Amino acid sequence: MRMVHRLAAVAAAVAVTGSPATAAHAQASEDLRPALLTPADLPGGFVPVAAATNTDGAVTLGGNFPGCPSLAPVTGDGTTAAAVTYSKGAVGPYLTHALVHFPAGGAAPAMDRLAAAGTTCKSFSQDLAGITVRFTLTPAQLPATLGERAVGVRMTGDTDFGIAVTADIVAIRRGEYVLWLNDMAVGTTGAGMVGTLAKTAADRCAQRAKGC
């Protein structure tokens, strides 16, 4: 069980670090937090466990996966970002929603890199919390109407201890914005939310973020 909780801590921080308290006081030139999913958008039982903007934490849109360079963080100089992670328990599932606004011309190549994970990282090994996890990636189909481009992938990981790690990931480009949804669970099945929430997230971005 201790190993499960170590992996769960990593899962919770895959796409966002920070805390709701610090994020609440962030002063950014462009505040993207109103464009993020809220607890009312999620099934019952999910509570926020982490949040960040690019002014008070690390929004890493992607993950810290050296075994798959295509999943390397795509935020950087010139990007504005916000993210929130919800959890339904100590071992998940965890639902992370991140939104990044890129400088002109920046969203398309960032999306290209994320999309490449489905072909360049069909399988890779990664050390998470001192535990080796062997991941397999498989593509998932998404409605073309979500944005200029939408990419889905399922990450399935196994360990020598019989602990499963699963993640359903959706990335959507709308103009110079990229939305990221990640439903991750450790030792249990994910909540299967990203397919349902993708349209809600895209609609919220269009309503609350100029140019999305």
Side-chain angles (χ1 to χ4, degrees), residues 74 102 106-116 149-151 171-173 178-179:
V74 298
F102 290 84
M111 192 73 173
D112 288 342
R113 194 172 79 185
L114 288 170
R149 189 174 188 185
V151 175
I172 303 166
R173 181 172 74 84
V178 173
L179 297 75

Side-chain angles (χ1 to χ4, degrees), residues 65-172:
F65 294 104
C68 182
S70 293
L71 289 176
V74 298
T75 50
D77 292 341
T79 59
T80 302
V84 61
T85 294
Y86 296 94
S87 173
K88 198 175 181 179
V91 296
Y94 295 91
L95 187 285
T96 294
H97 179 201
L99 179 63
V100 179
H101 191 192
F102 290 84
M111 192 73 173
D112 288 342
R113 194 172 79 185
L114 288 170
T119 55
T120 62
C121 304
K122 291 184 178 180
S123 63
F124 67 96
S125 294
Q126 177 73 39
D127 182 83
L128 296 178
I131 301 171
T132 299
V133 182
R134 295 172 292 276
F135 283 106
T136 300
L137 273 64
T138 54
Q141 296 298 316
L142 296 169
T145 56
L146 292 174
E148 286 88 341
R149 189 174 188 185
V151 175
V153 65
R154 163 161 279 210
M155 293 177 60
T156 305
D158 66 87
T159 69
D160 292 334
F161 305 98
I163 301 171
V165 181
T166 61
D168 289 316
I169 298 169
V170 168
I172 303 166

